[in-house]
């Protein structure tokens, strides 16, 4: 993935005149994610920027003449009710907008008086999907997840022979992707337990979540023209959190021979802010060395720069809020905490592989990494793994237990990137409550 050099926008010593931004868990001056919002009192969605506890109305800022030159062109694209054209514009446009936003929000900015009236409290804004998502592909790059799940489905052969060669994935359904906060209706479907003589149709009994990162595609490629691994970074326009809701009983019965279908496509939830690759530059780390004996990636998936900087040091946390915890006035239960460093493939490898056959990726397409699990149970990214297929329930502070999700349960995913010498940034959150079938 192309390097993004560090510059003054990453300087942890810089503060913002937006007081809540300084030390903000998610949206300090160094982050500046872009999304689509409807501010209070307005009816038309438009681009926005998260800063501390506030959102800047980008359309109003653009109309007010706060951007100039390349930044004005980029802001015009980012002010639209859908950000596809901004994503298509590529890294140079993003960077010019980022530099301009930094200059508007940094402490001592002369523009403060003009910018301040265009800020809205984030809690009063409605957040939307940031782009029209043409296609959605979900990968399976979390090797510990693949092992844990494989053990349950195929004890004799948890990882299939192709896993360490091919970034495995499937084409999902973009129509059912929703922003954080949208409730999820428990799906009905066919399920056939190991002791059932015949399948039956009804509400899923094994509803689960999957902890994933989402990848927003930028410029994309023409049909028939692959994206070389060394150029893949140019086509990554940003990141979000993704919950790939999964009905495990439907999945177990339907997945062979063509993979996930109705067990997955009833709902996918994403965090609404697009965290730009430029904001994540300080948190790029070397891709962990493959274990002894694993094959090297084939040449079309191997790039020295990508191996040196292609992994992301992002800490991911999953929380569960239940009606019983809420009734008792208790905090959500932490189901897991882990790191995106546990992905077997880099983002650039996923992009290059997807386009390697000539398949065209388009601006606003969304990729999921696949469930991210740590090697240890405290970092498993799904209830299927945490409960070992329903055999070991999770016990909540109220004494209630869970193997899979019950109606009224809410899954909350958060993420944070931090390291010494950098300002920590976050993604906000993706949450969704389960409604009865
Ligand atoms: Mn998934």
């Amino acid at each position: 993935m192309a390097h993004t050099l560090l510059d003054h926008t990453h300087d942890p010593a810089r503060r913002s005149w937006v007081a809540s931004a300084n030390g903000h868990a998610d949206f300090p001056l160094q982050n500046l994610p872009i999304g689509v919002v409807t501010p209070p009192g307005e009816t038309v969605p438009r681009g926005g920027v998260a800063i501390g506890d506030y959102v800047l109305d980008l359309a109003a800022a653009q109309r007010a003449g706060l951007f100039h030159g390349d930044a004005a062109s980029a802001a015009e694209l980012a002010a639209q009710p859908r950000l596809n054209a901004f994503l298509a514009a590529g890294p140079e446009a993003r960077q010019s907008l980022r530099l301009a936003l930094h200059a508007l929000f940094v402490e001592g900015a002369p523009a403060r008086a003009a910018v301040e009236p265009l800020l809205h409290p984030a809690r009063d804004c409605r957040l939307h999907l940031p782009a029209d998502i043409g296609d959605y592909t979900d990968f399976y790059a979390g090797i510990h997840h693949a092992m844990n799940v494989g053990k349950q489905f195929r004890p004799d052969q948890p990882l299939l022979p192709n896993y360490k060669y091919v970034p495995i994935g499937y084409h999902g359904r973009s129509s059912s992707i929703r922003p954080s906060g949208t409730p999820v209706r428990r799906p009905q479907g066919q399920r056939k337990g190991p002791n059932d003589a015949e399948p039956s149709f009804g509400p899923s009994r094994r509803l689960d979540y999957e902890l994933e990162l989402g990848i927003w595609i930028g410029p994309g490629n023409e049909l028939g023209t692959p994206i070389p691994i060394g150029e893949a970074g140019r086509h990554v326009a940003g990141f979000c959190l993704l919950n790939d809701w999964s009905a495990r009983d439907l999945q177990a019965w339907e997945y062979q021979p063509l993979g996930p279908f109705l067990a997955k496509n009833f709902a996918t939830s994403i965090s609404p802010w697009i965290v730009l690759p430029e904001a994540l530059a300080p948190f790029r780390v070397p891709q962990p060395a493959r274990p002894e004996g694993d094959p090297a990636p084939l040449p079309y998936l191997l790039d020295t720069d990508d191996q040196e900087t292609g992994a992301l040091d992002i800490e991911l946390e999953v929380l569960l809020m239940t009606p019983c915890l809420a009734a008792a006035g208790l905090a959500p239960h932490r189901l897991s905490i882990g790191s995106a460093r546990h992905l077997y493939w880099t983002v650039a490898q996923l992009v290059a592989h997807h386009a390697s056959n000539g398949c065209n990726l388009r601006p606003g397409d969304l990729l999921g990494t696949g469930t991210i699990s740590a090697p240890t149970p405290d970092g498993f990214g799904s209830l299927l793994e945490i409960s070992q297929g329903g055999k070991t329930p999770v016990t909540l502070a109220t004494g209630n237990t869970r193997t899979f999700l019950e109606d009224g349960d809410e899954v909350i995913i958060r993420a944070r990137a931090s390291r010494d010498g950098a300002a920590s940034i976050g993604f906000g959150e993706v949450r969704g409550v389960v409604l009865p079938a």
Side-chain angles (χ1 to χ4, degrees):
M1 177 167 289
H3 270 295
T4 304
L5 295 177
L6 299 188
D7 57 35
H8 65 277
T9 65
H10 303 100
D11 181 352
R14 299 240 178 166
R15 295 168 59 83
S16 174
W17 54 262
V18 180
S20 62
N22 300 315
H24 196 275
D26 289 312
F27 308 130
L29 176 65
Q30 291 80 4
N31 192 348
L32 303 173
I34 315 290
V36 171
V37 305
T38 303
E42 303 278 355
T43 53
V44 181
R46 77 283 313 271
V49 181
I51 175 86
D53 294 333
Y54 291 85
V55 172
L56 172 70
D57 180 337
L58 263 177
Q62 169 66 356
R63 277 198 304 273
L66 291 171
F67 301 101
H68 308 282
D70 290 347
S73 313
E76 182 153 356
L77 301 178
Q80 301 301 313
R82 287 289 184 263
L83 300 182
N84 297 70
F86 175 66
L87 302 179
E92 293 79 12
R94 291 196 307 267
Q95 177 67 357
S96 63
L97 182 60
R98 176 176 167 85
L99 291 170
L101 289 168
H102 179 91
L104 292 180
F105 285 124
V106 74
E107 208 163 56
R112 174 175 177 169
V115 175
E116 208 157 8
L118 310 179
L119 293 180
H120 300 279
R123 63 172 181 275
D124 297 338
C125 294
R126 201 167 145 227
L127 280 146
H128 307 276
L129 286 183
D132 284 322
I133 304 169
D135 279 294
Y136 161 53
T137 301
D138 198 21
F139 282 93
Y140 199 47
I143 190 168
H144 303 296
H145 170 77
M147 285 282 272
N148 292 335
V149 174
K151 272 182 215 155
Q152 291 184 29
F153 285 66
R154 295 174 305 275
D156 49 324
Q157 192 183 33
L159 273 193
L160 293 170
N162 56 7
Y163 188 86
K164 291 177 176 176
Y165 292 92
V166 182
I168 300 294
Y170 66 95
H171 285 124
R173 181 93 187 155
S174 58
S175 66
S176 52
I177 301 175
R178 291 291 180 277
S180 177
T182 309
V184 172
R185 177 81 54 192
R186 177 181 299 273
Q188 304 203 63
Q190 279 198 36
R191 58 275 205 279
K192 180 181 173 300
N195 303 317
D196 298 342
E198 299 289 335
S200 59
F201 183 88
S204 171
R205 298 170 181 135
R206 288 159 70 93
L207 182 60
D208 200 355
Y209 64 89
E210 290 190 340
L211 162 65
E212 307 194 18
L213 277 178
I215 300 150
W216 289 103
I217 294 295
N221 57 312
E222 291 297 321
L223 182 61
T225 307
I227 297 174
I229 178 90
E231 291 173 24
R234 282 193 63 80
H235 299 278
V236 174
F239 296 86
C240 63
L241 301 173
L242 187 150
N243 181 348
D244 176 21
W245 302 90
S246 298
R248 301 303 182 188
D249 41 357
L250 278 56
Q251 186 180 358
W253 174 232
E254 76 170 8
Y255 89 104
Q256 286 180 316
L258 288 184
F261 182 32
L262 302 185
K264 300 277 196 176
N265 69 6
F266 59 93
T268 303
S269 301
I270 62 171
S271 59
W273 293 109
I274 300 179
V275 176
L276 302 185
E278 290 72 25
L280 284 168
F283 311 103
R284 307 199 70 89
V285 291
Q287 176 69 355
R290 291 185 161 200
E292 190 74 25
D294 280 14
L298 292 177
Y300 80 101
L301 294 175
L302 189 56
D303 177 77
T304 309
D305 185 48
D306 181 47
Q307 291 297 309
E308 285 170 2
T309 66
L312 292 165
D313 193 0
I314 299 171
E315 186 182 71
L316 305 146
E317 181 184 31
V318 184
L319 303 165
L320 175 66
M321 193 59 187
T322 67
C324 55
L325 287 170
L330 296 169
H333 177 90
R334 181 193 275 172
L335 287 167
S336 71
I337 186 155
S339 170
R341 296 169 84 150
H342 296 300
L343 291 166
Y344 193 75
W345 300 101
T346 67
V347 169
Q349 287 174 320
L350 301 181
V351 170
H353 179 68
H354 202 314
S356 63
N357 65 344
C359 172
N360 51 324
L361 303 180
R362 296 177 294 185
D365 283 359
L366 186 67
L367 312 184
T369 55
T371 309
I372 305 172
S373 286
T376 51
D378 58 342
F380 287 176
S382 68
L383 278 170
L384 180 68
E385 296 165 84
I386 293 170
S387 76
Q388 297 183 71
K391 291 200 283 285
T392 56
V394 173
T395 302
L396 308 174
T398 51
N400 300 69
T401 61
R402 287 291 184 279
T403 50
F404 291 97
L405 298 171
E406 298 192 2
D407 293 344
D409 287 356
E410 184 171 37
V411 177
I412 305 153
I413 300 175
R414 295 184 183 142
R416 193 151 208 233
S418 53
R419 72 159 172 81
D420 287 345
S424 300
I425 65 170
F427 283 67
E429 61 181 23
V430 57
R431 61 168 69 215
V433 67
V434 176
L435 300 180

